[in-house]
Amino acid sequence: MRIRNLYDPPTMDDRAPVTPWAPSGMTASSKTTDEGCEITATGKGWCWLYPPEPYPDGLANVVWQKKDGSYLVGIDNMTVPIPEGVTVLTRLCGFNDRSLVTLLQNAGLPLVFAATDHPY
């Protein structure tokens, strides 16, 4: 199974900050900070964050790591819900087999455990 680190702030040399899609009645913005990609969503409900384009080839799932160490796991089309407020993202990994996300979580390992920049 393949895992690729697709996004590695705070340097973010290879990716621009991504802005979630916001439904009517909400707004979303993003900016690069020293801590990562800071997303601000206002309004009631959820915004939806898509992986940065070009979409990664051959990947079944993406996982965004948040500043607090928790994860946002992509759903079927690799998007994740973003709640209202401020969310800071620090890494994006892509997986070519969605079952690997479950395997790593069940083993108690971080989802970036086997990424190319964190060899095991």
Side-chain angles (χ1 to χ4, degrees):
M1 292 184 238
R2 180 181 58 177
I3 303 172
R4 285 188 292 168
N5 184 24
L6 304 171
Y7 189 68
D8 193 8
T11 58
M12 292 197 284
D13 293 333
D14 59 339
R15 301 281 182 184
V18 291
T19 302
W21 174 84
S24 179
M26 290 192 74
T27 61
S29 63
S30 65
K31 64 182 178 181
T32 302
T33 69
D34 289 340
E35 296 177 328
C37 177
E38 181 180 292
I39 296 173
T40 303
T42 59
K44 299 275 185 203
W46 297 87
C47 295
W48 296 93
L49 180 63
Y50 298 89
E53 292 188 18
Y55 295 134
D57 287 337
L59 297 181
N61 199 225
V62 295
V63 175
W64 297 85
Q65 186 175 28
K66 293 170 54 178
K67 178 186 171 190
D68 66 7
S70 64
Y71 299 97
L72 298 173
V73 180
I75 56 175
D76 292 339
N77 59 358
M78 296 198 288
T79 62
V80 295
I82 300 290
E84 58 184 281
V86 176
T87 303
V88 178
L89 304 174
T90 58
R91 180 174 283 109
L92 169 65
C93 284
F95 299 79
N96 71 339
D97 184 338
R98 187 176 174 90
S99 66
L100 183 56
V101 173
T102 303
L103 182 142
L104 290 173
Q105 285 181 320
N106 289 344
L109 296 171
L111 297 176
V112 295
F113 178 74
T116 54
D117 66 333
H118 290 79
Y120 56 95

